[in-house]
Amino acid sequence: TRTSRPQRILKAVQRKATVGDPQSVITAIDHFCRHREWAMNVGDEKGSILDSVVSEVSPVTVLELGTYCGYSTVRIARLLPPGACVITLEFNPDYAAIARQVIKWSGLEDKVQLVEGASGDWIPWMKEHFGVQAFDLVFLDHWKERYLPDTKLLEECGLIQKGTVLLADNVICPGTPDYLEYVRNSPRYNSHYYRSHLEYTKAEDGLEKSVFLGY
Ligand SMILES: Nc1ncnc2c1ncn2[C@@H]1O[C@H](/C=C/CNC(=O)c2cc([N+](=O)[O-])cc(O)c2O)[C@@H](O)[C@H]1O
Ligand SMILES: [Mg+2]
């Protein structure tokens, strides 16, 4: 049977990127997705906004929802100082297997904890299982209708505290209207929209950064 798109993305990394060089992994995926096959990575344009937010927050613990092939996991992990880590949740076992290899190729496995499972099942266990107090940064890039319920679940579990930054992909395309309405109207969040484009296209999309102000 034909290979899957994530398998073809991994092949492009293995052919074009240098082991232990995260930037070459990022470049290889962006080149493949721009010139061969589109895929739902955050991409280079929104990726540099992600980079600037990660650098600004300089987080110790990051949560990523929706690993897919690990492209944004590598983007985030490459900017983390020693001792910091990103926990990334992915419930599709095939995607998780590809992501593990992409993350390994980039040499960042020590900064990444890939958890194979659904956000709704795992978020309530984060404190107990990973010893997380609260997340400094949460990157939302999974099913768009899960952004709001998972944000509320993170609040309920005390995993979002004063200063926690939520960064959401695709708030315009495909769009997350209920999430946007919530973070933009809640007195407990300070929200900012970074206008950009849907990965590898000219369509509008953007990232919404929301800082939790505390209760
Ligand atoms: N509750 C959950 N727990 C764990 N993993 C979960 C999950 N829900 C989804 N996932 C995983 O997260 C990824 C889904 C991303 C949806 N993005 C998208 O649908 C998407 C679409 C476009 N687009 O259509 O242009 C552009 C984009 O940048 C996009 O992120 C997949 O790898 C999926 O297996
Ligand atoms: Mg996305």
Side-chain angles (χ1 to χ4, degrees):
T1 57
R2 249 168 77 78
T3 57
S4 70
R5 179 167 303 175
Q7 281 170 325
R8 295 193 289 275
I9 288 173
L10 174 60
K11 279 265 165 306
V13 167
Q14 293 168 336
R15 266 202 322 265
K16 298 280 180 59
T18 309
V19 175
D21 176 356
Q23 190 53 54
S24 72
V25 169
I26 292 162
T27 303
I29 295 175
D30 282 332
H31 188 273
F32 181 80
C33 294
R34 188 173 288 282
H35 302 292
R36 293 276 179 281
E37 283 185 76
W38 185 92
M40 59 183 177
N41 317 118
V42 73
D44 45 359
E45 192 180 321
K46 288 186 290 178
S48 47
I49 299 168
L50 169 62
D51 290 356
S52 61
V53 172
V54 173
S55 304
E56 170 200 324
V57 176
S58 54
V60 175
T61 40
V62 182
L63 175 65
E64 176 180 62
L65 300 175
T67 317
Y68 188 43
C69 297
Y71 173 89
S72 47
T73 322
V74 168
R75 284 202 83 107
I76 294 167
R78 86 193 201 287
L79 298 175
L80 296 182
C85 89
V86 45
I87 297 172
T88 183
L89 302 186
E90 174 52 60
F91 67 12
N92 179 308
D94 301 326
Y95 296 170
I98 296 290
R100 284 191 205 288
Q101 295 175 78
V102 168
I103 291 157
K104 193 163 173 52
W105 198 273
S106 67
L108 292 167
E109 61 270 43
D110 296 347
K111 294 187 182 299
V112 178
Q113 180 87 26
L114 196 163
V115 177
E116 213 171 304
S119 51
D121 300 337
W122 272 93
I123 285 171
W125 291 102
M126 283 293 153
K127 290 196 174 209
E128 196 160 333
H129 198 87
F130 295 103
V132 173
Q133 273 316 305
F135 288 107
D136 301 306
L137 173 67
V138 182
F139 182 55
L140 300 96
D141 194 21
H142 56 333
W143 289 160
K144 307 314 161 193
E145 64 280 357
R146 286 299 312 178
Y147 282 28
L148 185 52
D150 283 343
T151 297
K152 291 185 171 170
L153 186 56
L154 284 162
E155 289 176 0
E156 284 153 27
C157 297
L159 288 162
I160 291 178
Q161 286 174 9
K162 190 172 163 57
T164 296
V165 174
L166 306 184
L167 188 65
D169 189 26
N170 311 116
V171 296
I172 302 300
C173 176
T176 61
D178 58 346
Y179 173 82
L180 265 193
E181 199 267 336
Y182 179 74
V183 290
R184 288 179 174 175
N185 297 332
S186 163
R188 295 185 297 166
Y189 287 97
N190 199 3
S191 255
H192 176 80
Y193 174 59
Y194 293 86
R195 182 172 176 177
S196 183
H197 296 95
L198 180 68
E199 49 265 28
Y200 319 117
T201 78
K202 292 187 167 38
E204 181 181 349
D205 187 24
L207 302 175
E208 186 84 0
K209 181 180 83 170
S210 308
V211 184
F212 189 64
L213 302 171
Y215 290 100

